[in-house]
């Protein structure tokens, strides 16, 4: 009996020692404690007490601790990076404090970009294009926007192969963005990981090693924060795996899903959020894609093979929320899908269009679905959101669609000479947009079609004459077809977005088709 009691006492003492906090800290605002702030090490999720203090017994799995910035507050930024996190050490005790600043931010504006793909390439001239079209444009819009302004980047800031070829990695990205006028909350894309890992390393360790530079230079690869009444979750949905041997090297391959630790953390983080809170989930790879237009004339979608695991991981965790918005990139084109009546996926066109390297001498930033390169402006007023696409270098109120006179488009680019048909590409379309076309005072029948963009096919052909299968045009459902009565009648096109904003264009026909087509 005495031996049993002694063993029990020893076990209790060992457990007490094991549970001793090894990360502690305090969250304050101007020296005063902030209670109830969520803090995490990437696995455990705790809250600060009435004195603003938190403590956890952590295995320090990610090498840092981050706080979920509460609504009504901001944190200072170190250049581009908001400092909502601190790095841990191998010491027995890490003390990591956080400072907040009060900010009334129930109403705020968010600038959302993706896939800038900076490469530092002297032949492809990505940096001159970036500095000409994207950086001054978005900087001007931010500087003229009133009220609290924040920015998101949805991944692929860089291009992993160019980390080595051009010595252009994440630190160079931060250098190029030094003049950007707002803090940026980032998530990593598949191209923001180390591409080459020692082949002797076991496959299970590749992801941790590949994401190490991102964590050291940018910060946590997954985390959460709040702006006003809205909860944001930032996810890393690329798992890096050991690839096949190629030319004596073994580059990585990617699975698109959440690793198990991140998935556990996500469930715990969402437990801290009420079901009525507007939720924005930001990640690089979307969970679904358009697949065509059904027999009833409406677009159809599904999770593709490489999206199914991610879809099945995430969707059950979102089911309890009344208003969920997914912000994603990766595909370099618009894919706006109502996944359910409460979950809406935005997939954004990239800032670099399809790629800086195929933009022609006139720098036509056009992506595979015909959308111009640009970014999204997302505005929250309390819990209510509205949004608008801003093309690089063009006015948003005049550039939400492009019209093609198919009589003048050669057949190799999708034209229909002699048909008197026009094709309208409404870039950021979703199911609540409308397209109206009038000819000589009467409405014409408008048909939604599954089609490819003629201008992009032309640009791709001219830019890559030796690579006929690279960066091919993609059929999509934000195309609308209309038949005129004659080849030379003008058309009045009015496109109305879901918020009632109207975009109008008078199309004089015949309309020329070439690189300059607007």
């Amino acid at each position: 009996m005495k031996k049993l009691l002694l063993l029990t006492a020893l076990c209790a003492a060992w457990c007490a020692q094991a549970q001793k906090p090894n990360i502690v800290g305090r969250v304050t605002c101007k020296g005063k404690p902030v209670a109830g702030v969520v803090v995490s090490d990437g696995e455990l999720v705790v809250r600060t007490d009435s004195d603003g203090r938190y403590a956890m017994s952590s295995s320090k799995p990610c090498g840092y601790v981050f706080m979920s910035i509460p609504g009504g507050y901001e944190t200072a930024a170190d250049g581009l990076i908001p400092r909502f996190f601190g790095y841990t050490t191998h010491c027995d005790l890490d003390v990591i404090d956080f400072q907040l600043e009060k900010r009334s931010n129930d109403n705020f504006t968010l600038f959302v970009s993706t896939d800038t793909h900076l490469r530092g390439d002297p032949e492809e001239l990505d940096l001159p294009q970036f500095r000409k079209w994207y950086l001054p444009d978005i900087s001007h819009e931010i500087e003229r926007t009133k009220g609290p302004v924040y920015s998101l980047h949805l991944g692929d800031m860089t291009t992993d192969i160019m980390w080595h070829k051009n010595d252009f990695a994440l630190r160079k990205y931060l250098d190029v963005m030094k003049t950007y006028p707002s803090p940026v909350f980032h998530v990593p894309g598949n191209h923001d990981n180390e591409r080459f890992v020692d082949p002797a390393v076991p496959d299970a360790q590749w992801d941790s090693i590949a994401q190490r530079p991102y964590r050291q230079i940018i910060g946590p690869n997954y985390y959460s924060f709040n702006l006003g009444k809205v909860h944001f979750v930032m996810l890393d949905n690329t798992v890096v795996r050991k690839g096949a041997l190629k030319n004596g090297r073994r580059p990585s391959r990617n699975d698109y899903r959440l690793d198990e630790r991140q998935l556990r953390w996500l469930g715990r983080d969402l437990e801290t959020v009420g079901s009525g809170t507007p939720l924005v989930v930001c990640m690089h790879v979307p969970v679904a894609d358009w697949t065509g237009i059904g027999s009833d004339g409406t677009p159809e979608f599904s999770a593709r093979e490489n999206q199914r695991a991610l879809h099945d991981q995430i969707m059950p965790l979102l089911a309890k929320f009344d208003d969920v918005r997914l912000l994603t990139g990766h595909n370099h084109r618009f894919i706006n899908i109502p996944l359910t009546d409460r979950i809406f996926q935005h997939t954004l066109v990239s800032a670099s269009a399809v790629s800086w390297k195929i933009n022609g001498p006139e720098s036509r930033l056009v992506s595979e679905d015909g959308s111009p390169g640009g970014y999204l402006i997302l505005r929250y007023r309390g819990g209510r959101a509205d949004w608008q696409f801003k093309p690089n270098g063009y006015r948003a109120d005049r550039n939400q669609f492009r019209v093609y006179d198919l009589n003048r488009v050669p057949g190799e680019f999708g034209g229909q000479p002699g048909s008197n048909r026009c094709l309208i590409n409404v870039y950021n379309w979703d199911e609540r947009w409308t397209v109206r076309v009038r000819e000589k005072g009467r409405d014409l029948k408008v048909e939604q079609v599954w089609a490819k963009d003629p201008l992009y096919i032309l640009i791709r052909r001219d830019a890559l004459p030796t690579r006929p299968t690279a960066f091919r045009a993609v059929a999509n459902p934000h195309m609308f077809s209309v038949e005129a009565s004659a080849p030379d009648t003008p058309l009045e096109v009015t496109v109305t977005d879901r918020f009632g904003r109207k975009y109008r264009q008078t199309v004089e026909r015949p309309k020329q088709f070439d690189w300059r087509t607007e």
Side-chain angles (χ1 to χ4, degrees):
M1 185 64 177
K2 289 182 179 179
K3 289 183 178 179
L4 179 60
L5 290 173
L6 178 60
L7 181 61
T8 302
L10 289 173
C11 287
W14 181 85
C15 290
Q17 179 66 26
Q19 296 302 313
K20 183 179 179 180
N22 60 354
I23 304 176
V24 300
R26 195 167 184 241
V27 180
T28 58
C29 177
K30 293 185 176 180
K32 296 182 179 179
V34 183
V37 178
V38 172
V39 181
S40 177
D41 63 352
E43 187 165 44
L44 303 175
V45 174
V46 301
R47 286 187 183 270
T48 57
D49 62 17
S50 59
D51 195 36
R53 300 185 185 280
Y54 72 92
M56 62 180 75
S57 179
S58 171
S59 63
K60 303 181 182 180
C62 301
Y64 48 70
V65 173
F66 55 87
M67 68 167 168
S68 187
I69 303 169
Y73 290 91
E74 292 180 346
T75 188
D78 182 2
L80 203 65
I81 307 300
R83 285 305 176 192
F84 57 89
F85 62 96
Y87 291 105
T88 58
T89 70
H90 295 294
C91 297
D92 292 338
L93 181 65
D94 285 311
V95 180
I96 300 176
D97 297 329
F98 298 104
Q99 288 77 43
L100 292 169
E101 301 171 7
K102 282 192 175 182
R103 182 72 187 274
S104 178
N105 58 6
D106 279 1
N107 300 332
F108 64 89
T109 303
L110 196 63
F111 287 79
V112 189
S113 303
T114 189
D115 293 273
T116 46
H117 280 289
L118 296 184
R119 305 162 64 88
D121 197 290
E123 295 181 0
E124 297 168 3
L125 301 177
D126 56 296
L127 294 180
Q129 293 180 71
F130 179 84
R131 291 179 174 128
K132 176 183 177 181
W133 290 106
Y134 169 80
L135 189 56
D137 189 292
I138 195 170
S139 297
H140 172 72
E141 291 295 324
I142 289 172
E143 288 166 348
R144 76 186 190 97
T145 299
K146 297 179 180 179
V149 173
Y150 310 93
S151 296
L152 298 179
H153 199 299
L154 301 175
D156 281 2
M157 287 76 74
T158 57
T159 305
D160 50 357
I161 192 73
M162 298 301 174
W163 288 17
H164 305 279
K165 182 179 178 181
N166 290 342
D167 188 28
F168 197 97
L170 292 166
R171 291 195 190 279
K172 295 286 183 67
Y173 159 77
L174 294 180
D175 288 342
V176 172
M177 291 283 284
K178 277 183 178 179
T179 62
Y180 191 90
S182 104
V184 181
F185 294 95
H186 295 83
V187 293
N190 53 297
H191 288 290
D192 296 319
N193 293 290
E194 173 57 66
R195 187 179 182 88
F196 299 106
V197 176
D198 184 347
V201 172
D203 180 64
Q205 297 177 20
W206 270 53
D207 188 47
S208 177
I209 294 172
Q211 66 191 212
R212 189 177 297 159
Y214 181 93
R215 288 178 165 178
Q216 293 173 341
I217 296 168
I218 303 296
N221 57 315
Y222 62 90
Y223 56 99
S224 68
F225 62 93
N226 301 273
L227 295 176
K229 301 180 183 300
V230 186
H231 186 67
F232 288 79
V233 175
M234 313 292 283
L235 300 179
D236 175 2
N237 60 8
T238 301
V239 175
V240 180
R241 305 289 303 280
K242 181 182 292 190
L245 192 64
K246 184 178 181 180
N247 299 326
R249 303 187 77 176
R250 194 178 294 275
S252 61
R253 62 184 177 89
N254 300 316
D255 289 343
Y256 298 124
R257 58 180 175 83
L258 305 184
D259 64 80
E260 293 304 314
R261 178 184 294 121
Q262 185 178 180
L263 188 61
R264 290 193 300 271
W265 168 83
L266 177 60
R268 292 165 182 165
D269 181 83
L270 293 180
E271 286 175 1
T272 70
V273 184
S275 61
T277 300
L279 177 65
V280 179
V281 179
C282 302
M283 53 192 178
H284 186 61
V285 180
V287 302
D289 198 353
W290 295 118
T291 57
I293 292 182
S295 57
D296 62 352
T298 60
E300 297 178 327
F301 63 89
S302 69
R304 297 190 182 275
E305 183 176 356
N306 66 348
Q307 297 171 318
R308 287 174 190 159
L310 178 64
H311 177 279
D312 293 345
Q313 285 179 318
I314 287 178
M315 293 299 285
L317 295 174
L318 306 180
K320 77 169 187 176
F321 292 94
D322 298 332
D323 177 11
V324 181
R325 192 169 314 287
L326 306 185
L327 295 178
T328 65
H330 186 61
N331 285 349
H332 290 230
R333 58 187 184 269
F334 279 113
I335 309 169
N336 294 326
I337 298 177
L339 299 171
T340 73
D341 60 345
R342 296 186 292 179
I343 304 175
F344 189 91
Q345 175 187 280
H346 299 259
T347 300
L348 277 58
V349 72
S350 69
S352 58
V354 64
S355 173
W356 300 116
K357 64 184 177 183
I358 78 164
N359 298 332
E362 299 178 33
S363 294
R364 292 307 304 271
L365 302 181
V366 180
S367 199
E368 294 165 312
D369 67 343
S371 300
Y375 50 93
L376 192 73
I377 302 175
L378 176 61
R379 305 174 185 88
Y380 269 94
R381 300 298 177 258
R384 299 185 63 181
D386 78 71
W387 54 89
Q388 188 176 41
F389 170 55
K390 175 64 175 68
N392 293 330
Y394 294 91
R395 287 178 52 168
D397 60 348
R398 295 184 181 178
N399 294 275
Q400 297 293 321
F401 65 93
R402 186 185 301 117
V403 181
Y404 299 100
D405 183 349
L406 295 184
N407 282 346
R408 302 301 300 271
V409 178
E412 64 179 305
F413 306 118
Q416 300 173 17
S419 68
N420 293 335
R421 299 195 72 87
C422 288
L423 184 67
I424 307 166
N425 186 348
V426 184
Y427 317 127
N428 194 27
W429 174 89
D430 66 54
E431 61 177 355
R432 291 177 58 183
W433 287 53
T434 61
V435 179
R436 184 184 186 188
V437 181
R438 291 174 64 82
E439 179 192 46
K440 297 180 180 179
R442 66 183 183 92
D443 285 308
L444 300 181
K445 180 182 178 182
V446 178
E447 178 187 8
Q448 189 169 16
V449 295
W450 182 253
K452 298 177 181 179
D453 184 84
L455 177 60
Y456 176 73
I457 299 173
L458 171 64
I459 290 173
R460 196 219 64 81
R461 185 203 67 174
D462 291 351
L464 297 172
T466 63
R467 299 180 62 190
T469 62
F471 297 102
R472 299 180 72 173
V474 176
N476 65 84
H478 51 76
M479 299 288 195
F480 298 84
S481 177
V482 63
E483 184 176 355
S485 64
D488 58 356
T489 53
L491 300 180
E492 298 291 336
V493 181
T494 302
V495 174
T496 306
D497 70 15
R498 61 161 50 214
F499 306 107
R501 289 185 288 252
K502 295 184 183 296
Y503 309 97
R504 296 182 173 91
Q505 188 179 132
T506 298
V507 183
E508 300 293 342
R509 302 171 56 244
K511 180 181 178 182
Q512 187 64 30
F513 175 73
D514 56 27
W515 267 68
R516 296 180 296 275
T517 298
E518 295 289 356

